[in-house]
Amino acid sequence: MLAAIHIAVRANVQWGSRVFGPTIERQVTGPDASILLDATRRAYERLRGDRPDGALLSRGYVVLEAFRWQGYSPEAASLDLVSAGPGDSDVTVRAVARFQLQWQDGDWRLLAPPGGTWVGTAAPVDSPDGYVRFPSGGA
């Protein structure tokens, strides 16, 4: 579970190319891993403006609140993570996304999302009820 959280968070464009680049190159696997890396690099270049290459784009405002195992074996694991973040009018917005991992070369690797994009991989969820909550709600 910690591998899924660590890799998924660090593969985000907001942390800058010095973080997402090596994370995706070394810790993401599957047929769409290179597509994910290319798309993340393009998004970073579009968003970074006059910041130096590798610079942080923004702070993280999302909290991981809960999880649910979907399956586990010594070679593969699948889990759903519930995240919460600020929405319009001070409303908390929650989403659940499935993450799949594979054991390769002595470590867990995150399977790249279909088409190399996280868009469309999350679904809205009203609450973390029915999931295992992280201590302090993930905060």
Side-chain angles (χ1 to χ4, degrees), residues 18-132:
R18 284 183 280 181
V19 176
F20 74 72
T23 299
I24 296 171
E25 289 169 354
R26 297 177 193 152
Q27 297 177 292
V28 176
T29 192
D32 295 325
S34 62
I35 299 169
L36 174 64
L37 181 59
D38 290 343
T40 307
R41 283 182 177 150
R42 282 192 309 275
Y44 180 73
E45 288 305 316
R46 189 177 63 251
L47 297 169
R48 81 176 171 110
D50 60 359
R51 295 177 190 91
D53 188 25
L56 174 76
L57 294 181
S58 66
R59 296 183 63 200
Y61 295 100
V62 173
V63 174
L64 294 174
E65 288 187 324
F67 71 96
R68 182 185 309 154
W69 286 109
Q70 294 299 316
Y72 175 84
S73 76
E75 297 85 28
S78 179
L79 70 149
D80 292 343
L81 291 172
V82 176
S83 60
D88 294 336
S89 303
D90 295 326
V91 173
T92 299
V93 176
R94 289 182 177 83
V96 62
R98 179 152 302 157
F99 294 92
Q100 296 178 329
L101 296 139
Q102 295 179 349
W103 184 257
Q104 291 180 345
D105 302 320
D107 202 0
W108 288 107
R109 310 280 188 234
L110 185 66
L111 187 63
T117 179
W118 300 108
V119 175
T121 62
V125 64
D126 292 330
S127 79
D129 293 345
Y131 295 85
V132 178

